[in-house]
Amino acid sequence: MDKKLQRVGFKEDDFYTGEVTLNYVAGPPSSKGPPLVFIHGQTVTWEEYTFIMPILSSDFTVYAVTQRGHGKSSFTPGQYTFNALGKDMTAFLREVVREPAIIIGNSSGGVLTCWLAANAKEYVKAIVLEDPPLFRCDYPNIMTTSVYDVWAALSRTSEPDGGGFAAFFREFLIPAMTKTKADDRVMSSEKPPPKFLLHLVSRLITLQQKRHPGKPVDFSFMPSTRRIMIRGMSQFDGNFSRAFVDGSMGEDFDHAATLARIDVPVLFLHARYFLMKDDRLMGALTDEDVERVRGLVKGPWKYVKMDCGHAIAIDAPEQEAQEIKSWVHEQGLAGGKDKNNHVNSV
């Protein structure tokens, strides 16, 4: 855990839902603010929120949860659906948080946040959607996006002869990073390392995974942002990506019907995107997609266009924290903990 998180009182723990174990961090224990619960995007862990959690810790009680198929949480190949993930998080909110919370989710974690706002209303006070690929991550719409290629490549890491994370980094990630122009950086604003350094890292990944199988890959010489991404991808079940590629993630889950049941306040943070030469989307969703979302939700709506990459809490933590604080104040959501107003256990 990052030392800054430790200094302000965050602790790491595990929660067993009755079916899977979810790794999470929470803190600080002295905070009297309302709970914020962060849900990361695909391939990373709760560490996605390493930089924003200390900024918010003086005003909120903060939780960040690692979803099944990621990090230290349980891997359940063949059992990755939004409904299963939603049940995991409902149990966490009920048994750990124990009061209505502001849920914040990035990417597929944002789609899951919508699931919670529609299906676990008693545990959700408001939601922040960090560039969620609503409609776009649903099959077959996902094939209209460039991320389909990423998830297809990641799904092969779970195959016996797929080469694991080392092969993904060498055969897919290096070519993708080295051909990306400055204007095309929608995942991160950071300039990619030189190609020779990426190939060196590829060899080091192979060596580290041979010496320490099952352990996250980590290199202290890397910037902290890239270390978070590398650690996450190296302890990720490629079957999670396969569930998006083959459509099983969205089994019995309708995006439009779910959005139409959301009646809590919504803060929508929209990161950069553009259309490629083949008209596929590079990014999470277009302005037109956002308008479709806005037309369906019933709760108070606020939209903020962010000039940053898709992983907003990594790319622009200070700006996101300020947007969240301002919106919470505007919506009157800042009431502190009420230990006599816990939601009922089920």
Side-chain angles (χ1 to χ4, degrees), residues 50-313:
T50 295
F51 309 118
I52 195 171
M53 287 192 288
I55 304 173
L56 295 170
S57 63
S58 60
D59 298 290
F60 306 94
T61 302
V62 182
Y63 301 82
V65 188
T66 298
Q67 299 304 296
R68 64 166 75 189
H70 298 72
K72 299 176 185 177
S73 295
S74 300
F75 284 21
T76 59
Q79 299 178 49
Y80 297 122
T81 68
F82 278 115
N83 286 329
L85 299 174
K87 291 175 182 176
D88 293 345
M89 281 304 302
T90 299
F92 182 85
L93 294 172
R94 182 179 65 238
E95 302 296 336
V96 179
V97 182
R98 301 185 61 225
E99 65 175 303
I102 300 169
I103 315 297
I104 305 172
N106 175 231
S107 195
S108 60
V111 179
L112 177 55
T113 296
C114 292
W115 189 102
L116 292 165
N119 298 292
K121 292 175 178 287
E122 63 268 41
Y123 308 114
V124 180
K125 192 172 189 177
I127 60 174
V128 180
L129 303 179
E130 303 168 297
D131 213 31
L134 289 157
F135 306 115
R136 291 286 181 168
C137 72
D138 204 16
Y139 187 85
N141 294 342
I142 191 172
M143 291 190 285
T144 68
T145 73
S146 63
V147 79
Y148 177 82
D149 299 336
V150 182
W151 302 153
L154 276 167
S155 69
R156 292 192 286 274
T157 65
S158 63
E159 298 171 0
D161 58 349
F165 173 60
F168 170 78
F169 189 93
R170 180 180 62 253
E171 297 169 12
F172 183 88
L173 208 54
I174 289 178
M177 292 178 71
T178 52
K179 72 178 182 181
T180 299
K181 300 177 182 178
D183 292 341
D184 295 349
R185 293 176 200 149
V186 301
M187 301 307 291
S188 171
S189 295
E190 289 187 356
K191 182 180 179 180
K195 193 172 183 177
F196 79 89
L197 183 57
L198 290 171
H199 282 287
L200 173 61
V201 170
S202 175
R203 291 193 289 271
L204 291 174
I205 289 172
T206 301
L207 180 62
Q208 190 170 124
Q209 289 197 310
K210 283 182 178 178
R211 289 182 173 178
H212 308 286
K215 299 292 185 181
V217 173
D218 192 21
F219 302 116
S220 59
F221 61 82
M222 282 188 167
S224 54
T225 53
R226 296 199 184 279
R227 291 178 69 183
I228 288 171
M229 303 302 288
I230 292 288
R231 282 197 296 263
M233 285 187 177
S234 67
Q235 49 182 341
F236 170 70
D237 185 359
N239 290 293
F240 192 95
S241 288
R242 177 172 286 108
F244 284 92
V245 172
D246 66 20
S248 57
M249 179 63 77
E251 180 181 343
D252 297 325
F253 173 63
D254 183 89
H255 289 217
T258 298
L259 290 167
R261 297 200 304 274
I262 296 177
D263 55 11
V264 296
V266 177
L267 172 61
F268 197 105
L269 305 178
H270 192 193
R272 292 193 293 257
Y273 77 90
F274 68 94
L275 294 177
M276 301 172 68
K277 291 181 180 179
D278 60 2
D279 287 331
R280 289 201 301 169
L281 174 67
M282 175 66 83
L285 72 178
T286 65
D287 292 343
E288 291 76 17
D289 294 327
V290 174
E291 283 305 308
R292 185 180 176 191
V293 174
R294 181 177 185 177
L296 287 165
V297 299
K298 306 295 193 300
W301 172 275
K302 182 177 181 179
Y303 171 86
V304 178
K305 181 64 177 177
M306 304 285 287
D307 185 19
C308 67
H310 178 59
I312 295 174

Side-chain angles (χ1 to χ4, degrees), residues 306-334:
M306 304 285 287
D307 185 19
C308 67
H310 178 59
I312 295 174
I314 288 179
D315 221 32
E318 293 85 3
Q319 182 187 355
E320 180 179 2
Q322 187 55 53
E323 294 292 352
I324 290 172
K325 289 180 181 181
S326 297
W327 170 74
V328 165
H329 178 74
E330 292 166 8
Q331 292 296 321
L333 301 170

